[in-house]
Amino acid sequence: MPHLSSRILSINGSGSDGWGVFYRARAMVAAGEMVTELTIGEHDIRTHPAILDAMHRAAQAGHTGYATIPGITALRDAVAARITRNTGIPTARENVLITPGGQSALFAAHMACCNPGETALYIDPYYATYPGTIRAAGAVPQAIATRAEDSFLPDYDRISDAALAHGAASLLVNTPNNPTGVVYPRSTLEDIAHAALDHDLWVISDEVYETQIWEGAHLSPRALPGMDQCTLVVGSMSKSHAMTGSRIGWIVAPEHVIEKLSDLATNTTYGVPGYIQDAAVFALAQGAALEEEVAAPFRRRRALAMSILEGQNVVGHIPSQGAMYLMLDIRSTGMTGEAFANALLDTHRIAVMPGESFGAAASGHIRLAMTVADDSFAVALQTLCSFAGMLIPSDFAPA
Ligand SMILES: Cc1ncc(COP(=O)(O)O)c(C=O)c1O
């Protein structure tokens, strides 16, 4: 019998990944039970009808054949203009590769930056696919742990120590952050930039939540001095335009990197459907108003959540500054995130993600996706807080 490659067999790593509660919730829903699902990052609205009309028009007009590999000129130009406008760093179409979503961009970026067996760093807690993406690209994932007490922000020493210890080739960062909801401040991004320049690291900057900012401002590491030559920015229209199913995103990088990434795309994806790219051009041309319309439900629910959380002292939270998630600290209950999430599902039919599914650093936490209607979301969060209150040990002294 022929064997499967060790590369594909190792993508998922080993051990419990904390996703059991998610699959249990899905099974309950399939069995007809009512479950409030605050698990994955999928909007409760669909792609705007005007974007679908643009897609339909493009397909009817015949844009259903192979599209040019780096992406159609109009879309590469639109992305380049957007990045130039947002960062002040001159960006041309030659700096842009259109990809089928941010996920494939993350994979391609690691393929470009890491030799087989080289170490690729990422920050714990992390978006669940990161280690598997790195392994799929043939590199070795190495987490850099952060602490809840530091709002899960990395710093120069932690990055520098890991880069030195492992001779790392790349560092993957994500702001606004999934799962923590933190927007990296300038000082953290400067630490990242200094460590990258000191240790000759590529920075792969996942900015797929750039349009969901509740506090502060989004800053791309590519905008910092010297960083445009060593940063690959991963972007996507999944979250900004509720286009998760259209699979449309990009990489922005130095021109010579994009040339090589085009070779990879030629031999893997063979491009992105032309009618989807035309719809993306249309969507980007609608400007910030449409992006704010897509972000607005999360902005509202985040405000609701803050008022609920401020009225109690059992459940703590990591500063909620961006992205569609809340990271809650349930350590006062003495439970792991996984045990709490399972108990909440069993008792109240509310499904949340255990912090542990996003790395060891987030144990004792849970992540909520703010992806159900405002009233159901508020009821679920109030129920969660009361439930946590009933679980705290009698000797617990609130801070
Ligand atoms: C942090 C982060 N990066 C990348 C992605 C991938 O997004 P997509 O492939 O839909 O563009 C996601 C999706 O949830 C995410 O949360």
Side-chain angles (χ1 to χ4, degrees), residues 101-103 106 127 130 174 178 206 208-209 236 238-239 247:
Q103 180 56 49
L106 286 166
Y127 172 52
Y130 282 178
N174 171 222
N178 175 13
D206 180 343
V208 304
Y209 292 99
S236 169
S238 285
K239 313 294 174 172
R247 313 309 305 133

Side-chain angles (χ1 to χ4, degrees), residues 153-317:
L153 292 170
D155 61 24
Y156 178 87
D157 288 340
R158 281 169 188 266
I159 299 169
S160 200
D161 291 351
L164 271 178
H166 303 280
S170 64
L171 168 66
L172 172 55
V173 296
N174 171 222
T175 180
N177 190 271
N178 175 13
T180 66
V182 169
V183 174
Y184 284 13
R186 175 176 284 271
S187 57
T188 299
L189 289 158
E190 283 172 350
D191 274 11
I192 289 168
H194 288 150
L197 295 171
D198 286 354
H199 298 288
D200 231 355
L201 296 174
W202 288 105
V203 171
I204 299 171
S205 179
D206 180 343
E207 303 180 19
V208 304
Y209 292 99
E210 61 164 349
T211 61
Q212 297 181 3
I213 302 285
W214 324 133
E215 252 178 37
H218 171 63
L219 177 63
S220 170
R222 183 170 177 269
L224 295 178
M227 290 300 288
D228 61 331
Q229 289 312 306
C230 65
T231 305
L232 283 71
V233 174
V234 169
S236 169
M237 300 188 63
S238 285
K239 313 294 174 172
S240 58
H241 292 79
M243 290 179 74
T244 50
S246 292
R247 313 309 305 133
I248 181 91
W250 55 77
I251 299 179
V252 172
E255 191 175 331
H256 70 100
V257 178
I258 296 297
E259 273 173 23
K260 293 297 164 204
L261 283 168
S262 297
D263 295 344
L264 178 66
T266 302
N267 292 286
T268 52
T269 60
Y270 213 77
V272 175
Y275 55 93
I276 304 271
Q277 295 194 61
D278 284 338
V281 172
F282 171 86
L284 290 178
Q286 306 314 301
L290 181 53
E291 293 164 21
E292 182 46 39
E293 193 180 319
V294 174
F298 307 123
R299 188 185 295 285
R300 275 199 320 267
R301 291 167 201 159
R302 183 262 184 189
L304 269 174
M306 290 306 107
S307 63
I308 293 169
L309 291 168
E310 274 156 19
Q312 53 85 57
N313 57 12
V314 174
V315 176
H317 67 278

Side-chain angles (χ1 to χ4, degrees), residues 12 15-27 37 39-41 126-131 178-179 325 338 341-342 345 351-359 367:
N12 273 344
S16 157
D17 59 6
W19 280 70
V21 64
F22 170 75
Y23 295 118
R24 275 207 319 119
R26 280 288 148 104
E37 279 200 89
T39 48
I40 58 167
Y126 52 85
Y127 172 52
T129 70
Y130 282 178
N178 175 13
Y325 311 101
E338 197 164 356
N342 275 306
L345 181 61
V352 300
M353 292 302 294
E356 291 83 2
S357 37
F358 308 103
R367 190 199 72 174

